[in-house]
Amino acid sequence: MSAARFSARFYVAAGIVAAVLLFGLVAPLVFRTHQVGDVVGGLYDHPSAHAWLGTDNLGHDVFTNLMYGTRTSLLIGLVAGAIATLLGVAVGTLAGYRGGAVEEGLMGFTNVILAIPSIVVLVLISIALGTRSTLTLAVVLAVTSWPWTARAVRAQASSVRTREHLDVARLSGAGTFSLICYDVVPYMLSYICMAFVLQVSGAVLNEAALSMLGLGPSGGVSLGIMLHWALAWESVRTGAWWAFVPPTLLLTLLAFALLMLQSSLDELFNPRLRRHARRRRTARPAALPLPVERPVPEGAAE
Amino acid sequence: MSLPRYLGRKAAWYLGALLVAILLNFLLPRLIPGNPVDTIVSSLSRGGVEGSQLHAIHAHYVHEFGLDKPLWQQFVVYLGHLAHGDLGVSFAQSPATVQGLIGQALPWSIALQLPAILLGWLVGNVLGALAAYRGGWFDRGAFLGSLFTSSMPYYCVAILLLYLLAVVIPVLPPSGGYSFGNSPELSAAFVSDALTHYWLPFLSLVIVFVGGQAVGMRSMAVYELGSDYVNYDRGLGLRDRTIIRYIFRNAMLPQVTGLALSIGTLVGGALITEIVFSYPGVGTLLFTAISQNDYPVVTGLTLLIAVAVLVANFCVEIAYGIIDPRIRASSRGER
């Protein structure tokens, strides 16, 4: 692969993600006229100079809710995505690198979890927990979503295992742990990067789905919780668009941008997916990344 | 690996997954902090349930959970109930059994989801193959469009469609599976009424599913287009139509697995779609059960969903094993 050239799609996607991140993390520090939970009007007041996006069913400012909701959703997405990626990479690398009985056992376990629909496990765990903090919910989401990554990483790791630089490293006396950290994982970083992006988008969407079922983080506001109340109080059917359009659009935009980011990274890392590479395919790079298994974003889920 | 061995192995494997699903359904509700019965009953009393009803529920649940018995014995009792199709009695709608409630809701969900899955899968694959083959603007438009709809969460599509087609331009009814005052029966009037309520939730499921399948099919077909047999076909001067057919067949196989994997996602997505439209299926039932702390109904539904998805995946994998002998060979390594 020559010098990395980012496509226009990458810049658009990265721009949208950055904008949403900015909105969730910085906007609450800038716009401080209202706080979460302040009653600023009546039931579904129209947007006005006082409340830019109107009020929700409890008379809370929708714009304020949107800022803090985005922050909660992003926080859950990032934490859950990081934990899930970490778990998936650990299990996948260990299975792929060690092979044999370790691989059989770990992958058997992974596939069993993969077969059970995650929404079922999410609902059951959420009910068992009773009250759920933002962080707990992130951990729960991560626990149900790592198997995708583990399965794909295992395939990559078992192909990296056969490469020659590993023999060299082994001959120079490197231990298993150092081999995995310095000689296996760096070769899969491009994939791990994409997996993380997908995990984040999956976690954000799953959080919203759980919240809409009524199992969201207790005592806070997230994009999903905003939708939950908007639906429960019939804002869609009464035409109070300001209560449900902003969170819907934000979720859609974020999910779309993350998926686009992933797919443009995919094209960057995997030359086979590039169209112009097809025309000049006389010189194929020797060690291509494996075709990536495309995890279905759970729109429970996804 | 021979076909019977492949089938046997898959069957054993899915039975294992089923057992895990049942175990989760059994164990997790028992993890509710403190004594589950007390927690349930106290939360019900806050919800305004009468005293005599509370006593009945308490007694029922001490018996149901068999709290004095060891855990493994409770599990055996649980399995025995399951084997008889007995999922317990609903808290919120007390005399009604869980299996009765589910039985009312299930036909609606199946009638909504099965056609949506099949149609979406077919249309999505054709669109993806065409996009990859045509290239240019058609590809760019179709790909970005598919990527957009497939990345849109099911419920977002549902909410926007509901707002646009039932509130802004009121051409379709906004909620329910049939008009208020109409009761489910097999008459022409009811069926046509149910059909007008069917379109919105159906459309919102199909749109997302088409997008997801098209994206997958396109990348498979782009990959196939670069392969040697296509260059050879071109050299032979075969017609485009013939080449497309070859590509379609080859790129199709992974899409069958894609179907199996996305069934679980679609069922989850359809649950929320039903809530948006107040469609009288299992999604809405789950929603009301959660809001009423109706644990027997919730666990009954999660078990049903888990079993349904496992069975569907099992069927697809079996079909796949029969269609493609290479899978049986490679599954030795991959499981």
Side-chain angles (χ1 to χ4, degrees), chain A residues 44-55 241-242:
Chain A
Y44 291 136
D45 282 353
H46 282 266
S48 62
H50 180 58
W52 293 343
L53 285 174
T55 59
W241 56 267
W242 54 90

Side-chain angles (χ1 to χ4, degrees), chain A residues 40-95:
Chain A
V40 301
L43 170 75
Y44 291 136
D45 282 353
H46 282 266
S48 62
H50 180 58
W52 293 343
L53 285 174
T55 59
D56 67 1
N57 53 306
L58 292 171
H60 297 163
D61 181 31
V62 172
F63 184 76
T64 311
N65 275 352
L66 197 64
M67 287 190 302
Y68 285 94
T70 309
R71 176 191 265 184
T72 312
S73 289
L74 281 174
L75 196 71
I76 290 179
L78 290 173
V79 172
I83 298 176
T85 313
L86 213 66
L87 271 174
V89 170
V91 171
T93 314
L94 202 65

Side-chain angles (χ1 to χ4, degrees), chain B residues 91-240:
Chain B
F91 284 165
Q93 307 171 43
S94 196
T97 56
V98 175
Q99 58 269 28
L101 287 172
I102 292 179
Q104 280 170 16
L106 196 58
W108 292 98
S109 291
I110 293 176
L112 180 62
Q113 290 178 28
L114 205 61
I117 291 178
L118 294 179
L119 186 75
W121 189 71
L122 211 67
V123 173
N125 281 314
V126 172
L127 188 70
L130 271 180
Y133 190 76
R134 286 275 188 81
W137 284 108
F138 181 76
D139 176 34
R140 213 165 289 178
F143 178 61
L144 271 184
S146 310
L147 197 65
F148 187 70
T149 52
S150 71
S151 68
M152 263 181 106
Y154 287 90
Y155 37 89
C156 290
V157 179
I159 291 176
L160 292 179
L161 268 183
L162 170 63
Y163 183 57
L164 290 179
L165 292 181
V167 179
V168 179
I169 319 164
V171 285
L172 290 168
S175 74
Y178 44 89
S179 297
F180 194 69
N182 218 339
S183 62
E185 59 192 14
L186 213 63
S187 68
F190 177 75
V191 169
S192 77
D193 181 41
L195 270 180
T196 54
H197 285 81
Y198 184 75
W199 282 114
L200 269 181
F202 179 72
L203 257 182
S204 75
L205 286 180
V206 168
I207 286 177
V208 179
F209 202 52
V210 163
Q213 293 297 318
V215 169
M217 185 63 181
R218 177 194 171 269
S219 58
M220 277 311 301
V222 166
Y223 177 75
E224 291 287 334
L225 269 173
S227 60
D228 293 333
Y229 75 89
V230 173
N231 286 338
Y232 181 66
D233 287 351
R234 285 226 172 87
L236 284 179
L238 285 186
R239 278 186 310 166
D240 284 359

Side-chain angles (χ1 to χ4, degrees), chain B residues 59-74:
Chain B
H60 173 77
Y61 248 71
V62 167
H63 177 70
E64 181 101 324
F65 278 79
L67 285 176
D68 42 342
K69 295 176 196 146
L71 206 59
W72 67 267
Q73 230 169 351
Q74 292 179 36

